[in-house]
């Protein structure tokens, strides 16, 4: 003889089913058990997916940060070591434009798929690197204490910070 | 050169001008500012007119955003009297 559990008895009485087999304690126990198992699995799975997603986004951010620092170094090199008359300036300009375009594509993916938006800071970096006399034949080499170099570094730091802040708000 | 040879004639001759920026290794901001900001600053186009008639296409949406910021900044730099001046579109 299987004795019904207090919960099953209470439920059965509440719905007025009396001694119906449907509300037999063992069946209700199974339903409750499986519901808890499924809910637990959903919670654990959601947490696991979120942690994995966070890791993937973090890896992309690390990659982007490396790119930003590399662009900063190359932009300093371009401004310090070439003038408008230098034959090696053209390939450096091409590399800078191309690297900025690649960075833009990576950040576009982060924005559309992961909600990490740092568009204003990216535009500020592009402007710091390629505005003013970039690609101009009359450009002079910069002095080591030039404001242009400071602005490039400032924009690079700004973009890294903007990405970090967006990441923290997304995965708080 | 791009602005004078291609952009301005296209905007003056047609109702709409479509600029496709894909297929290159990227653009310098100096070029974008000169080409698109220059439409307002040097050619006398109105920003509202450009918003209606100039279609900028690019896979890089940041680029499109940057170009419109140059157009808006060029408007801000213009004096109020020029803002209401004769639009370049016939």
């Amino acid at each position: 003889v299987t004795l019904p559990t207090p919960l099953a008895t209470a439920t059965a009485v509440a719905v007025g089913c009396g001694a119906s087999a449907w509300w037999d304690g063992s069946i209700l126990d199974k339903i409750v058990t499986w519901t808890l198992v499924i809910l637990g699995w959903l919670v654990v799975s959601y947490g696991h997916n979120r942690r994995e997603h966070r890791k993937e986004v973090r890896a992309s951010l690390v990659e982007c940060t490396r790119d930003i620092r590399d662009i900063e170094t190359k932009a300093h090199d371009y401004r310090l070591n070439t003038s408008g008359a230098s034959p090696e300036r053209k390939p450096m300009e091409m590399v800078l434009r191309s690297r900025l375009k690649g960075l833009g594509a990576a950040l576009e993916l982060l924005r559309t798929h992961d909600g990490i938006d740092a568009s204003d800071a990216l535009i500020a970096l592009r402007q710091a690197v390629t505005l003013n006399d970039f690609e101009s034949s009359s450009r002079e080499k910069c002095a080591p204490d030039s404001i242009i170099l400071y602005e490039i570094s400032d924009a690079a730091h700004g973009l890294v910070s903007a990405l970090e802040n967006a990441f923290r708000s997304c995965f708080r | 050169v791009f602005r004078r040879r291609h952009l301005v004639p296209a905007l003056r001759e047609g109702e709409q001008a479509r600029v496709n920026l894909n297929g290159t290794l990227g653009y310098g901001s100096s070029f974008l500012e000169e080409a698109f900001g220059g439409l307002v600053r040097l050619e006398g186009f109105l920003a509202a007119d450009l918003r209606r008639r100039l279609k900028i296409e690019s896979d890089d949406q940041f680029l499109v955003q940057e170009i419109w910021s140059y157009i808006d900044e060029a408007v801000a730099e213009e004096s109020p009297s020029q803002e209401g001046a004769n639009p370049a579109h016939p």
Side-chain angles (χ1 to χ4, degrees), chain A residues 14-88:
Chain A
V15 297
C17 292
S20 164
W22 237 124
W23 296 104
D24 180 278
S26 63
I27 293 175
L28 190 63
D29 276 354
K30 281 178 186 163
I31 290 171
V32 169
T33 304
W34 279 104
T35 305
L36 287 174
V37 167
I38 291 167
L39 279 176
W41 176 79
L42 285 174
V43 168
V44 170
S45 172
Y46 172 79
H48 176 74
N49 287 344
R50 191 166 164 76
R51 273 194 302 279
E52 284 302 308
H53 183 214
R54 190 179 193 280
K55 275 188 209 165
E56 284 169 14
V57 174
R58 169 50 73 192
S60 301
L61 280 190
V62 168
E63 198 69 25
C64 287
T65 303
R66 200 174 296 140
D67 277 352
I68 293 164
R69 294 300 176 204
D70 194 39
I71 288 168
E72 180 189 0
T73 308
K74 283 184 164 54
H76 279 205
D77 189 28
Y78 168 75
R79 293 281 176 179
L80 281 168
N81 301 320
T82 69
S83 69
S86 311
E88 66 274 21

Side-chain angles (χ1 to χ4, degrees), chain B residues 19-33:
Chain B
V19 182
N20 189 315
L21 297 170
N22 294 323
T24 69
L25 278 177
Y27 298 89
S29 296
S30 52
F31 165 78
L32 298 174
E33 202 286 326

Side-chain angles (χ1 to χ4, degrees), chain A residues 107 118-127 155-156 158-163:
Chain A
L107 293 189
S119 47
D120 290 342
L122 171 69
I123 291 173
L125 177 65
R126 277 183 172 175
Q127 290 175 336
L159 180 52
V160 171
S161 299
L163 287 171

Side-chain angles (χ1 to χ4, degrees), chain B residues 31-89:
Chain B
F31 165 78
L32 298 174
E33 202 286 326
E34 188 62 32
F36 294 94
L39 287 175
V40 175
R41 215 163 11 85
L42 304 170
E43 307 290 346
F45 285 91
L46 299 178
D49 184 42
L50 291 175
R51 289 249 176 221
R52 191 172 55 82
R53 300 199 297 121
L54 180 63
K55 303 291 169 210
I56 301 165
E57 297 175 354
S58 174
D59 291 339
D60 182 350
Q61 285 308 302
F62 297 117
L63 200 61
V64 179
Q65 195 177 330
E66 186 178 348
I67 288 170
W68 285 112
S69 78
Y70 291 134
I71 291 173
D72 292 338
E73 279 166 25
V75 171
E77 284 169 19
E78 289 289 291
S79 67
S81 59
Q82 282 174 309
E83 177 59 18
N86 177 38
H89 182 58

